[in-house]
Structures are given as structure tokens and as C-alpha cells.
Amino acid sequence: MSAEASVKQPSFPLKAAAPPSFDIKNRPDPATFDATQIVSDFITRLQKTLENPTASNLQDVMFPDGFWRDHLFLTWDLRTLRGVEKTSEYLSEPATLKKLSSVKLTPSTGNYKRLPLLDASNASSINITAFINAESDQGVGEGVIRIFLDADNNWKAFTIYTTLIKLKNHTENAGANRPHGGLHGDQSSDPRNWKERLASSSEFSSSSPTVLIIGAGQSGLTVAARLTQLNIPTLVIDKNPRIGDNWRNRYHSLVLHDPVWYDHFPYLPFPETWPIFTPKDKLADWLEHYASVMEIPVWTSTTVGSSDYKDGKWTVSLSKNGEERTVNPAHVILATGHAGEPYIPSFAGVENFKGNITHSSKWSNPERLKGKKVLIIGAGNTSHDIAQSLYANGAFPTIVQRSSTHVLSSERGLPELLGAVYCEGGPAIEEADLLAFSLPNAVLKFFHQLITAGMKAPEKDGPTIEGLNKAGFVTDDGPDGAGLVMKYYDQGGSYYIDIGASSMIIDGKIGVKHGKVDKFTEKGILFQDGQEVEAAEVVLATGYQNMRTTAGAIFPCVKDSVNVVAGFDPEGEFQTLYRDSGHPGFWFMGMNLAHCRFFSRALALKIAGKEFGYY
């Protein structure tokens, strides 16, 4: 068994950034602060500064190493600028100046959850977090500012975040702009009802979609929902017979490791009766339901044939249930998942092994392995889930760990990671997303370093980590000690959110073999340390290739031009995802449900801006 080597993600190094901390002179009594008035006064100063955003002027409202994170609002890209010099350069670019000419920043009102929040719990770091509204000549935006009291009792911004949420003259079909739904007056020219019109438009018999999306999972459906509400004709195709089969066909015991309040879909959040952790089949059915309710045109049992891009248009041949169709979209979005095709490492001697070798994406039916030894190569979430399922069905699983793994408990660790932002009874999902994604990733990394260090305490995950290490399972603290989230961003895997398998490893119910594979033998695997471990079956929980590889396989014409997907760019933003891919008219969409929910709007608006002539 062999496959093209996994494309590595050359993520640029991201240095953690700590918030300001001062020995505040003549520290005022926080009880005397009027947070709303302070924010209002600060915004007035900021607006004045933006009229002439030189580095010198910015230092009056920003810390010298402060951040401005911008998602499409000031320019048509995802950017994070650190320091007044770079921020000044960014704000002075011709394209930015044009949009800033009519910008207005004002505090949000009318929603108590968006009132400024004063934090004076730390004597050396008094700060206010406030939501803002923004407006430019092209659109409407929102954002969050975090201002701190400096050593001289002046309020300055450490982080400013702006994001485009609405285009002027091209708003979504939602809220006050929702469709009427009724058919009144003379219908003689078109007597079809709503359902019949929808069915007809979804066939694209006499027209082509403006956007073609490959993959009807959460990535494809969320961005399709955004695009259709912007009146951009969009078609989603999927090779499976049913929407949701990408989850429905995975291993029997799979349940999401993220909680429900982190995983809501745009426009249509999960109901209050939804379980905290979503079972795979329930998510699969929800995807099918979502596509129906959001009226997203989806063609199942459809694959891509030949493709070409010329003069701003694609020519893509599709096979729909054996019927050949050709479409000419302006944009193609690859939404086959943050990870691409299954990564199957090349091992010597696989032809000698008498048992089955199966990648985790195709693995199922653990009950057939009762009483048998099974080796699982890989030590992330999937490997642990499969090992736990095997043990429950009477098998003898052993995890083969070739490198270290970051482990965080679901019960104690996830509440630490998600805090009071994503939790039962927490902020509405729109507010939660603004709070979470407004933080530059460098600042997020600093906070996660603190969380990761704290989780090693005896009353938290410390005993579990110690027990795993004693059992031979090697753990790590993530990149620069920043834990699970940064490891996900940097590497896309090599972590485990513990839902029970760790204690089974400690107790010896799940075996561990840490080491490098030398070769497969007739009975199992020989490791480089000379030990041979026997098995009736080997499961490859080895992850997936980079989406760039999938793009080249499906669309050969983009193979050498698209950029590596994910990891960080030099500014700390995600590479390629939701942004220009390196090939015109070709886009990547992926990551977990929360990122799909949030960044689907950015990608949809980026495409809409191009289609409607904003840039």
C-alpha cells in the first residue's frame, strides 16, 4: 500500500503576544469608571486619528505593539497588522483609504450582551472589551476593541478587530430583507408554486451556477447557504448518494468532541434539545435537513470529470447519476474537508501481512474482531475512539504512537478552552464568534499557553498526563506550550480530547507501543527497536493529506498554482483557506464547524464582492 506523500504545512512561526501590563500610577478606583463613556470617548479619538493615520498619530490611540485584525472590511483580504508602523502602512494603502473615507465607528446599543465589559480583576491590567459597529463606502461591519489603561492612565487599544458583515446594495435575504413567500396577482406567465420554482432552478437546465462547490459536508453547505442568501446561483455536488454520508459512513462510535454551543450552523442553530456532543448519524441527518431548509441546490452521486479555466470561467464536466453535464461557473470552491484524501503511509512488507489493513476513514464493525489483537497506527482522536470501541467489543487494541500527542480532558479541559464565550447560557453565537475570532492568533496563543500550563495541575489533568507517561504514552504541551488549539492550527492533528480512553491506557485495557515501524511481517509489525507485535488487523488512523493534494487530483489545472492550505502566514492568519488560493476563481473551505460557521461569511462576501464589482 502506498500513496503520494502528505504535503507538509510550512506554517510560519507564530510568537505569542501578551496583553499590556503596567505599574499604574495613581491607580483610579474602577468603581468610578463609566465604561460606556470611556469607550465612546476613545472611539471619538480613534475616528480623529483615522483621518491621518500616521504611526505617530496612532501611538496616541494604540500601544506601539498593538494589533489591528481586519477581515475584508478595510481591504478584500484577511489581515493582522502588529505595531503602529505596519498598521499605519496598511491604513494608508490606496485601496484602504478609499474605504476609510466614510468609516464610522460607534458602540453597539440595544443588546445588553454587547455593552462594554470592564475587567479590573488584575491591578496591573485594567481593560475594557467593547463591541463596535463600522461603516464604509462599500459595506457594514462589526468588530471588537480591547482598550487598556496605560502607566499614565490613558486608554489605548491593544487589539482592534473589524469584519465585513454586509455589502451595501447587496444584502442577504434575511431579517428585514427576507422574501415575501406569497404569490399574488396574475400568475398566468408562470403558474408554478414555490416548490416547483425551487426544483427547476436547482437543475440549472438553462443556466450555469456562478459558484460550484465540491463537497456537501459542513464546509460546502455553510458557504453555500451564505452565497444563496446573497442571490448568487450556487450548486453543491457530492460523490455520495446522500447528503451527510461523509459522516454517516464513518466508524460506528464516532461522536463530535466539540460541544454543541461551539458547533451551531449559520442561520439555523441546533435546537435546545440537542445533545452536548453530537453523534455522527445525528449530524449527518442535520446536514441533510440543513440543505433542505436552506434550499441549497445539491446534486448527490455526482463527480467531477475534466475541467479547464479560461477567460475568467470554468468549464467543468460532471457526471450526475451517470448523466453527463457541463457547467461554466466563475468560481469553484473545494470543500471536501480541512483534510484531503486519506493519508496512507508507505510501509515495507505490507504484502506479507496476512490480516486486513484499513484506513480509519473506511473502518467499521468492531464486533467482528472480538478476542483478536488489533494495532492502530496513529495516536489522535480517531485512534483513541477506535481503540475504545474495540475494547468495548471484546478485542485487544494497541495504539502505535510514532510521535508525541497532546492530551486534554473533555470534562475539565474544554470548559477551560472555551471559557464563558462558548458555554450553556453564554453569549448569543454571533457575539461569541466576535469575541473569539477578534483575538489575533498571537494573543490567543499567549492565553492558551497559560491554560495549558494550568491544566497540568493535580486537580486538573496532571494525574492523567503522569499516568499516560508511565504507561509509555508520550504527551506534549503543543507548539511552544500552547496546547490543543494551536496544535490543530499548526499541524491539523496529533491531539486527543479525552473522553475515556486515557484511563483505559493507564489501566492497561488499551495497549501502547511507542516507536517507529520497521516493516510489516506475516503476523504483525516489526518495530525499529526489534520488537514484533502481532495483530489480526491494522487500522491506519494516520490522518489525511493536505487539501492542496486533493485540489490537484480533482482539478489538474490548479495542481502547480494553488498554495499550501492552512497553517499560519507571516501575519498569523490562516494560509489560503477562505482567501485567494493562488489560482483565480478557485477557493478552499474547511476546518471545524465553528470555523465553517464564521468564515463561510468571509468567503461568501469575498466572492460576492468580486461578482458585484466591489473590487
Side-chain angles (χ1 to χ4, degrees), residues 464-594:
T464 299
I465 300 301
E466 182 179 355
L468 286 170
N469 292 334
K470 286 182 178 179
F473 188 89
V474 182
T475 61
D476 65 49
D477 294 332
D480 301 324
L484 184 148
V485 171
M486 287 299 150
K487 199 161 192 184
Y488 173 56
Y489 289 172
D490 249 354
Q491 302 177 25
S494 296
Y495 59 83
Y496 173 52
I497 301 175
D498 181 22
I499 56 173
S502 289
S503 63
M504 298 172 74
I505 291 172
I506 294 170
D507 295 339
K509 298 175 181 177
I510 296 174
V512 174
K513 173 58 184 176
H514 185 87
K516 302 295 183 182
V517 174
D518 180 36
K519 63 181 180 179
F520 276 66
T521 66
E522 182 177 322
K523 296 181 179 180
I525 294 177
L526 179 67
F527 290 85
Q528 290 182 1
D529 62 5
Q531 181 184 6
E532 182 179 12
V533 181
E534 295 183 2
E537 183 158 314
V538 174
V539 182
L540 301 178
T542 48
Y544 298 82
Q545 301 178 54
N546 190 269
M547 285 181 78
R548 184 177 188 270
T549 308
T550 305
I554 301 177
F555 297 92
C557 65
V558 310
K559 181 177 181 179
D560 297 324
S561 57
V562 292
N563 302 319
V564 172
V565 181
F568 294 118
D569 72 4
E571 293 181 349
E573 288 290 341
F574 298 125
Q575 296 187 116
T576 312
L577 277 170
Y578 331 117
R579 309 171 70 180
D580 293 337
S581 70
H583 188 287
F586 194 87
W587 311 87
F588 290 95
M589 182 71 197
M591 296 187 76
N592 64 29
L593 270 71

Side-chain angles (χ1 to χ4, degrees), residues 12 100 106 115 143 159 261 264 341 349 385 453 487 497 549 555:
F12 286 81
L100 274 172
T106 56
L115 293 176
T159 67
W261 36 81
H264 291 297
E341 295 300 306
D385 286 352
K487 199 161 192 184
I497 301 175
T549 308
F555 297 92

Side-chain angles (χ1 to χ4, degrees), residues 28-34 118:
D29 181 5
T32 65
F33 290 161
D34 183 339
L118 171 69

